[in-house]
Amino acid sequence: MGVTLKDIAAEAGVSLMTVSNVVNGKQARVSAATRERIMRIVKERGYVPSASARSLAARSSRLVGLLVPAVGESSLTIDPHTVEVVGMLERELRRLDYHLMLRGISRHGEITEALRSWNLDGAVLLGFNDVVIDRLTADDVGGVALVAMDSYSANPLALEVRSDDFGGAELATRHLVGLGHRRIAFAGPAFSATGVVRRRFEGYRKVLAEHGIAFDPDLVSEVETTHADGLAYGRRLPREHPDVTAVFTTADILAIGLIEGLAAAGRSVPGDVSVVGYDNADLAVYVTPKLTTVAQDLPGKAAEAVRLMMDRLAGKERPAQAVSLDVALIERGTAGPPPER
Amino acid sequence: MGVTLKDIAAEAGVSLMTVSNVVNGKQARVSAATRERIMRIVKERGYVPSASARSLAARSSRLVGLLVPAVGESSLTIDPHTVEVVGMLERELRRLDYHLMLRGISRHGEITEALRSWNLDGAVLLGFNDVVIDRLTADDVGGVALVAMDSYSANPLALEVRSDDFGGAELATRHLVGLGHRRIAFAGPAFSATGVVRRRFEGYRKVLAEHGIAFDPDLVSEVETTHADGLAYGRRLPREHPDVTAVFTTADILAIGLIEGLAAAGRSVPGDVSVVGYDNADLAVYVTPKLTTVAQDLPGKAAEAVRLMMDRLAGKERPAQAVSLDVALIERGTAGPPPER
DNA sequence: CATGCTAGGTTTAGCGCTATACCTTGATCG
DNA sequence: CGATCAAGGTATAGCGCTAAACCTAGCATG
């Protein structure tokens, strides 16, 4: 159906390999005249190389997998700030003439299957639990460049791109302490899921220690990264810890739920309680008051992921194993001084 | 490197074709005993079929493209309610053992290129201008099942899945009229971009007519689907049309910006002005007051897109050409009776 | 003048799989 | 009892491309 190399070769009166060389820009082997003639025919006939044939013959697919956890039969849930990374990833890869395959993973073995079946050159692991990444063996991923986002894995097979989670938490907590808060709660999902939360917790704890504020484990709550869980947490917080005047949360959506919950419990933000979010999601500015939050460098994350992957594909000697991007505190309306007493 | 059909065939002492038949579940041609023996070896050796080889030999890739506009060098911007559709699409396709390739399109020709190069079986066109879809020729898309989302194209080559935009607008407008509003504005992007906006406009207009309310073109504003543009619109609306007591918008994000703009201009929602959004995005419930909006059936959209595509791939005689899904009005806090005067 | 070298090609041998035609063997049947 | 047929396979010929080895003239070189 489609036009093939053979057709072009026949029309140009050269061998198939000459056309292949021209199409792939292998300068050395063809004269300028031949090259131009072939290129003209390629354009005219609308030749488009077959990716499967290339992948099969060249053992490289120029395909990168975007692997996302898919719990059971449920669909992928890509959170809003991840979506932006996906869009940027796609653009970077497209510039380099790579393609992106989106794949939900529900069993560990599916990672290997996806990599092998499609002969992927690389893959980006988005939102996986660290232990999933640690379980990957050289047998699984031989040859493919794996980049894990926001993980803190011990697996040398995976390149890693993340934000400075420890530093972000320091920034947020330091801001609250600077405002005069002493009873500062920490709310985020379980540590086990990802090292990210633990790093943020450690940053929080370090700043408390720096300022001689006693760490109170009761002020640390395990709250899922959802509006509903944030809401529930906000409702019970004033009852359980009336002395808390500020909360550092690990996600904007959680913070927004929290603020609504606090309001339901009769506490205003930032009048009674200050709240700091994390991620600087779009919606941070849609709520009232606008959310004070820690911003990640999303474009940087996508760019670094691609850079790391390309370095490894190029067989760079000692490519960076992990990159940590800077974060910034965005001061808006949800953090202020504690109430007078 | 990987295990191939040949390896399995050698180990099982059968021909390569027998293994191929077993792996592909072609019952007829193998005895149960042989089938089991082969399956055991396949499992043991961790055989994974090569998608490129299959695609090449079978002229079918089991790959579906997810084509999204990418303006110039910028990255894909997938709006939040689209993201959900993407996740659901992926799940549906994965269940059917298809894979999804995400591809940004910046020139029209890239659609064809993507389809041909990867030998795609089908493609979902997300967020394209109707005229882009109309320009697709049989030459471009021969054999691939194209599904366009939210388009009203005249091109019989594309299957279409959309919500009942006309009906959604009717619902919203009727709600406002029922509440007692007479001066109701319409805010949305230019009609030219997509028939969706025009259908919603027509629904709005029809309900006005039904109730004998004179249509005033001055109350129709071209506002982009962004928070910023909604905000600007909200700021100027009370000045330009102080008598407007309600606004029907074509997007939640626009509505949220609008509400903020109205607040900046000293108008409260729903006290002074009622606002109805569209899409029932997650963030509709994060803002205060929670947004009254028109909800689309997102899971239905994804499922229908896949069903339509599979029907066409299966060569169904008269597959549906377009599907329109039901919508529902979600009453929350931004629409109330007009102020007393 | 044999030798090497370079430019500009061509030939060959697959990559891993599937479609299709073909081949046995034993049972069935008019 | 020869023809027919189904079950259970096998052999062959690609799909469209690339890597790698090979070829051939024309020219410079010691």
Side-chain angles (χ1 to χ4, degrees):
Chain A
M1 202 197 68
V3 186
T4 73
L5 274 192
K6 209 160 113 191
D7 303 332
I8 307 286
E11 191 166 335
V14 294
S15 81
L16 187 155
M17 271 318 293
T18 299
V19 181
S20 170
N21 285 328
V22 168
V23 169
N24 293 288
K26 301 242 200 322
Q27 297 265 343
R29 299 171 112 27
V30 246
S31 72
T34 317
R35 181 161 51 245
E36 265 168 46
R37 180 159 42 96
I38 292 177
M39 281 310 250
R40 220 199 49 241
I41 301 178
V42 161
K43 282 256 161 67
E44 275 175 25
R45 305 285 308 267
Y47 167 74
V48 178
S50 151
S52 3
R54 275 189 170 169
S55 165
L56 193 56
R59 280 164 212 71
S60 151
S61 55
R62 296 196 85 82
L63 235 196
V64 171
L66 183 68
L67 276 25
V68 183
V71 207
E73 272 300 278
S74 82
S75 66
L76 313 183
T77 33
I78 309 181
D79 62 60
H81 99 271
T82 306
V83 178
E84 268 183 74
V85 177
V86 173
M88 288 163 181
L89 232 32
E90 196 277 341
R91 179 195 37 170
E92 295 288 309
L93 288 170
R94 183 153 34 91
R95 275 199 316 127
L96 298 167
D97 206 23
Y98 276 79
H99 285 77
L100 238 203
M101 195 167 88
L102 178 61
R103 177 66 152 87
I105 301 291
S106 59
R107 302 186 339 264
H108 192 267
E110 288 180 347
I111 298 181
T112 315
E113 275 171 42
L115 298 181
R116 284 235 272 268
S117 166
W118 290 93
N119 191 221
L120 300 182
D121 287 356
V124 178
L125 297 165
L126 225 59
F128 281 93
N129 191 307
D130 291 0
V131 310
V132 172
I133 293 162
D134 281 329
R135 272 175 58 193
L136 256 18
T137 69
D139 203 50
D140 294 334
V141 302
V144 324
L146 273 194
V147 178
M149 290 278 216
D150 293 318
S151 76
Y152 286 85
S153 118
N155 195 334
L157 292 168
L159 304 165
E160 298 185 298
V161 178
R162 53 203 177 214
S163 284
D164 180 5
D165 292 294
F166 186 89
E170 283 185 304
L171 242 40
T173 313
R174 193 131 43 216
H175 180 60
L176 290 170
V177 171
L179 251 15
H181 296 274
R182 287 298 173 269
R183 294 290 283 171
I184 303 172
F186 177 96
F191 289 2
S192 62
T194 151
V196 166
V197 179
R198 187 151 59 80
R199 295 315 184 286
R200 294 191 191 159
F201 169 71
E202 284 164 3
Y204 153 82
R205 219 179 141 165
K206 182 192 165 210
V207 171
L208 294 188
E210 266 175 20
H211 291 82
I213 300 172
F215 165 67
D216 179 353
D218 279 359
L219 298 190
V220 177
S221 299
E222 202 175 302
V223 182
E224 284 309 302
T225 307
T226 65
H227 185 261
D229 283 40
L231 181 69
Y233 173 63
R235 283 177 183 280
R236 67 172 192 265
L237 181 66
R239 191 174 63 239
E240 294 177 0
H241 298 287
D243 57 338
V244 162
T245 61
V247 188
F248 168 51
T249 68
T250 60
D252 286 345
I253 182 73
L254 194 171
I256 289 168
L258 163 62
I259 291 167
E260 191 180 331
L262 288 170
R267 296 297 186 287
S268 77
V269 172
D272 299 318
V273 181
S274 287
V275 173
V276 179
Y278 212 105
D279 287 343
N280 191 27
D282 285 344
L283 57 90
V285 299
Y286 302 157
V287 294
T288 325
K290 297 186 200 301
L291 200 59
T292 292
T293 186
V294 178
Q296 303 193 37
D297 177 6
L298 262 23
K301 246 169 153 169
E304 283 301 318
V306 172
R307 195 179 61 76
L308 244 48
M309 183 178 292
M310 294 302 140
D311 280 0
R312 175 156 291 184
L313 286 179
K316 265 236 179 114
E317 271 309 300
R318 295 263 337 121
Q321 163 74 26
V323 178
S324 186
L325 285 123
D326 286 344
V327 294
L329 182 74
I330 312 285
E331 295 183 39
R332 286 196 277 247
T334 56
E340 310 277 330
R341 31 143 69 250
Chain B
M1 201 196 69
V3 186
T4 73
L5 274 192
K6 211 161 112 189
D7 302 332
I8 307 285
E11 192 167 333
V14 293
S15 81
L16 187 152
M17 271 319 291
T18 299
V19 181
S20 171
N21 284 328
V22 168
V23 168
N24 293 288
K26 301 241 200 321
Q27 296 265 345
R29 299 172 111 27
V30 248
S31 72
T34 318
R35 182 161 52 245
E36 266 167 45
R37 181 158 42 96
I38 291 177
M39 281 310 250
R40 220 199 48 239
I41 301 178
V42 162
K43 283 256 161 66
E44 273 175 26
R45 304 286 308 266
Y47 167 73
V48 178
S50 152
S52 5
R54 276 190 168 168
S55 165
L56 192 56
R59 280 165 210 70
S60 151
S61 56
R62 296 196 84 82
L63 236 195
V64 170
L66 183 68
L67 277 26
V68 183
V71 206
E73 271 301 277
S74 83
S75 66
L76 314 183
T77 32
I78 309 180
D79 62 60
H81 100 272
T82 307
V83 178
E84 269 183 73
V85 177
V86 173
M88 289 164 182
L89 233 32
E90 196 277 341
R91 179 196 37 169
E92 295 288 309
L93 288 170
R94 182 153 35 89
R95 276 198 316 126
L96 298 167
D97 207 24
Y98 277 78
H99 285 78
L100 238 204
M101 196 168 87
L102 178 62
R103 179 65 153 84
I105 301 291
S106 58
R107 302 186 341 262
H108 192 267
E110 287 180 348
I111 298 181
T112 314
E113 274 171 44
L115 297 181
R116 284 236 271 269
S117 165
W118 290 93
N119 191 219
L120 299 182
D121 287 357
V124 178
L125 297 165
L126 226 57
F128 281 93
N129 192 309
D130 292 359
V131 311
V132 172
I133 293 162
D134 281 330
R135 272 177 57 195
L136 256 17
T137 70
D139 203 50
D140 293 335
V141 302
V144 323
L146 274 195
V147 179
M149 291 280 216
D150 293 318
S151 76
Y152 286 83
S153 118
N155 195 333
L157 292 169
L159 304 165
E160 298 185 299
V161 178
R162 52 203 179 215
S163 284
D164 180 6
D165 291 295
F166 186 88
E170 282 185 305
L171 243 39
T173 314
R174 192 127 48 211
H175 180 60
L176 291 170
V177 172
L179 250 16
H181 296 276
R182 287 298 173 269
R183 293 291 282 169
I184 303 173
F186 177 96
F191 290 1
S192 62
T194 151
V196 165
V197 179
R198 188 151 59 80
R199 294 317 182 288
R200 293 191 191 160
F201 169 71
E202 284 164 1
Y204 153 83
R205 218 176 141 166
K206 183 193 164 207
V207 170
L208 293 188
E210 267 175 17
H211 292 81
I213 301 172
F215 166 67
D216 180 353
D218 278 0
L219 298 190
V220 176
S221 300
E222 201 176 303
V223 182
E224 284 308 301
T225 307
T226 65
H227 186 261
D229 283 41
L231 181 69
Y233 173 62
R235 283 177 184 280
R236 67 173 193 264
L237 181 65
R239 190 174 64 240
E240 296 178 359
H241 298 287
D243 57 338
V244 162
T245 61
V247 188
F248 168 50
T249 68
T250 61
D252 287 344
I253 183 74
L254 195 170
I256 289 170
L258 163 61
I259 292 168
E260 191 179 331
L262 287 170
R267 296 297 187 285
S268 77
V269 173
D272 299 318
V273 181
S274 286
V275 173
V276 179
Y278 212 106
D279 287 344
N280 192 27
D282 285 345
L283 56 90
V285 298
Y286 302 158
V287 294
T288 322
K290 297 187 201 303
L291 200 60
T292 291
T293 186
V294 178
Q296 304 193 38
D297 177 7
L298 263 23
K301 247 170 153 169
E304 282 301 318
V306 172
R307 194 178 64 76
L308 244 48
M309 183 178 292
M310 294 302 139
D311 280 1
R312 176 156 289 185
L313 286 179
K316 265 238 179 108
E317 272 308 300
R318 296 263 336 119
Q321 164 72 27
V323 178
S324 186
L325 285 125
D326 286 344
V327 295
L329 181 75
I330 311 285
E331 295 182 41
R332 285 197 278 248
T334 55
E340 310 279 330
R341 27 142 74 251

